[in-house]
Amino acid sequence: MNLELLAHVHGFIAVVIFIVAAVFWSKINRKTISKFFNNALIITLVLLLALPFFVRIAFFIPENISIIIQSALFIVILIPLFLVVYKEKRKNKVQREEDVKELVVKKKIPERLEFAKEILKPEMEKLEMERKKIRKESSEIEKIKSGLEDREEDLKDREDELNEREEEIRERYPKLKEEEKRINKEKEEKINEKYAKLKEEEKMIKKERKEIKDELDMMEDQRENIDEQFRTLEKEKEKSKKEKEKLDLRKEKIDLLEETLEERRLDFKEEKDEVKKEKDLLENNRIKVKEKSLELKEEREEIAEERKKVRSGLKELKIKGEDLEEEKEKLEEDKAKIERERNKLKKQKEKFEKEKEEAEIELEEVK
Amino acid sequence: MINYFIFGLSIASFIFIILSLFFIVKEKRFENKKLKSGINAIVFGLFFLMLFIATNLMNYADKIFHEEIIGFLPSIDIYIDYLIQIANLAFIPLIPIFFLVAMFIFRKLK
């Protein structure tokens, strides 16, 4: 719950409790309360302190005005409360004093007489004893006072003596001052001499210190120069070391590339040899095919001659012709195959050529 | 100006309630024994009322002499806020409760 709301609720509760208390107070029989309580107005005033709290919870009064009214109500109720309490106290005090007087003066009442004898008399005796003590003490103080007066007189005599001595000293004072001046002068001269000497020494020391400082500065500069040179040397050393490492790395790379190139060159050579071999083989085949085709041509011519010669064995010739046709077809197929292989080899050769060129370019770049 | 006025009223209230409490407590020993517990309850109620007025007094003192107080007590605003909350939540309900208790005691007197 919001604290402000809770505070407001508490204010309401407080006012309700105040009202309940006021109702109870109004219902109490005044006669019975007056037996015990001398002034019931105090309680009424205390209960009237609820009024500021009434104003506090009145929502229709603006806050500024409410605070002023509350403060004013507090003071308006508290002043009479104080006055009533004070008056009551005074009244009670007077009453009590009268009672005590009655106890002392009127001896006819046996209880009061007994009270006076038993309680007041010992007290009075005690007071009498204390009075005697005080008297004794005052006589002692008187004695001490007279002693102090005597001492005061002595002190006065001593003061006079001191005054006389002071006058004497005053008379001697100018002489002493002159002497003091003379001594001071002498001392001053001596001090001045010493001061001049010290100043010279100080100058010398300063000079020496300056020289030492200059030398120290020179040495410091030299040391700094050496340090700087040493640092530059260190840097150069590091640089050269790095460059050397770089070069080594490059060298290693080049070696590796050379090795790979050598390997590739060898591979290429081998491949080239193989291609050459295949080429030779193909050339041989072509020659063979050419020879065969020539043979076939001759055979065809022979056949034609034979055809002419042997018309009768047409059937046989026809069969032979068909066989020959088949063989021719086979040869044509072989020829086509050989042509395809040759094209393949040609492409491979071109590819190798290209690779060789690329390898040569790389080699040149590496170099 | 209003703050000064309320501050003055609060000081006067504070002084009067303290004096009233002082005299009531002093006179208590001469009162009837049966009344004593009832008067004690009223004294407690007045005591909490005094605390409530003191809280208001401090609040207005802070409002008027804020610059001077904040110099040696930088968190005075927080303390005052807490004090006001405590006064609103605890002191205000306690005042009438003690008075009500006193009324109950007086009621039983015969």
Side-chain angles (χ1 to χ4, degrees), chain A residues 10 24 43 56 67 75 92, chain B residues 12 27 42 60 88-89 107:
Chain A
H10 276 211
F24 275 125
I43 308 296
R56 191 182 167 82
I67 290 163
I75 197 83
N92 287 342
Chain B
E27 282 299 295
I42 281 175
Y60 281 96
N88 287 336
L89 295 171
R107 215 180 161 196

Side-chain angles (χ1 to χ4, degrees), chain A residues 3 6-7 10-11 14 17-18 20-22 24-25 28 32-33 35-38 42-43 46-47 49 53 56 64 67-68 70-72 74-75 78-79 81-82 85-86 88-89 92 96, chain B residues 2 5-6 9-10 12-13 16-17 19-20 23-24 26-27 30-32 34-35 39 42 46 49 52-53 56 60 85 88-90 92-93 95-97 99-100 103-104 106-107 109-110:
Chain A
L3 277 176
L6 196 68
H10 276 211
I17 297 166
F18 261 119
V20 173
F24 275 125
W25 179 240
I28 293 167
T32 51
I33 201 85
K35 281 182 202 169
F36 305 97
F37 217 47
N38 291 328
I42 293 169
I43 308 296
V46 163
L47 287 172
L49 284 167
F53 296 102
R56 191 182 167 82
N64 288 338
I67 290 163
I68 295 165
Q70 279 175 53
S71 305
F74 270 129
I75 197 83
L78 285 170
I79 289 170
L81 179 71
F82 163 69
V85 169
Y86 185 68
E88 190 68 28
K89 188 224 163 197
N92 287 342
R96 284 196 296 274
Chain B
I2 291 166
F5 179 63
I6 295 167
L9 287 178
S10 297
S13 304
F16 281 119
I17 202 164
L19 289 171
S20 304
F23 289 131
I24 290 169
K26 250 194 143 184
E27 282 299 295
F30 300 114
E31 293 290 347
N32 197 313
K34 288 175 184 176
L35 269 176
I39 291 168
I42 281 175
L46 285 174
L49 184 70
F52 175 71
I53 291 166
N56 273 344
Y60 281 96
Q85 274 181 16
N88 287 336
L89 295 171
I92 289 175
I95 297 162
I97 286 167
F99 291 161
L100 187 68
M103 292 310 120
F104 274 120
F106 291 149
R107 215 180 161 196
L109 291 171
K110 276 177 187 174

Side-chain angles (χ1 to χ4, degrees), chain A residues 250-269 271 355-356 358-364 366-367:
Chain A
R250 269 187 158 186
K251 206 180 171 184
E252 278 175 11
K253 267 186 178 179
I254 288 160
D255 287 342
L256 263 166
L257 277 166
E258 272 179 354
E259 275 175 17
T260 47
L261 266 169
E262 197 63 38
E263 279 172 7
R264 273 187 163 189
R265 203 183 282 161
L266 284 168
D267 291 341
F268 184 71
K269 218 174 184 179
E271 279 173 1
E355 279 179 357
K356 192 185 168 188
E358 280 173 4
E360 275 172 356
I361 289 158
E362 276 181 10
L363 198 80
E364 275 172 8
V366 169
K367 274 176 183 174

Side-chain angles (χ1 to χ4, degrees), chain B residues 43-96:
Chain B
V43 165
F44 273 110
L46 285 174
F47 174 72
F48 280 107
L49 184 70
M50 185 199 78
L51 288 179
F52 175 71
I53 291 166
T55 311
N56 273 344
L57 188 70
M58 281 163 85
N59 184 24
Y60 281 96
D62 177 46
K63 276 179 187 172
I64 294 163
F65 311 109
H66 187 73
E67 296 300 320
E68 287 83 354
I69 295 168
I70 207 156
F72 59 89
L73 253 173
S75 44
I76 183 74
D77 292 329
I78 300 162
Y79 296 149
I80 294 288
D81 280 344
Y82 281 133
L83 260 176
I84 288 166
Q85 274 181 16
I86 292 163
N88 287 336
L89 295 171
F91 298 165
I92 289 175
L94 279 172
I95 297 162

Side-chain angles (χ1 to χ4, degrees), chain A residues 235-281:
Chain A
K235 276 180 185 175
E236 278 176 10
K237 212 175 170 182
E238 274 180 17
K239 259 187 182 179
S240 61
K241 212 175 179 180
K242 278 179 183 175
E243 277 178 6
K244 201 186 167 188
E245 280 172 4
K246 272 184 182 178
L247 279 167
D248 286 341
L249 271 167
R250 269 187 158 186
K251 206 180 171 184
E252 278 175 11
K253 267 186 178 179
I254 288 160
D255 287 342
L256 263 166
L257 277 166
E258 272 179 354
E259 275 175 17
T260 47
L261 266 169
E262 197 63 38
E263 279 172 7
R264 273 187 163 189
R265 203 183 282 161
L266 284 168
D267 291 341
F268 184 71
K269 218 174 184 179
E270 278 173 8
E271 279 173 1
K272 206 180 169 184
D273 290 342
E274 276 176 12
V275 168
K276 215 175 182 180
K277 273 177 188 174
E278 279 180 3
K279 206 180 166 184
D280 290 342
L281 261 167

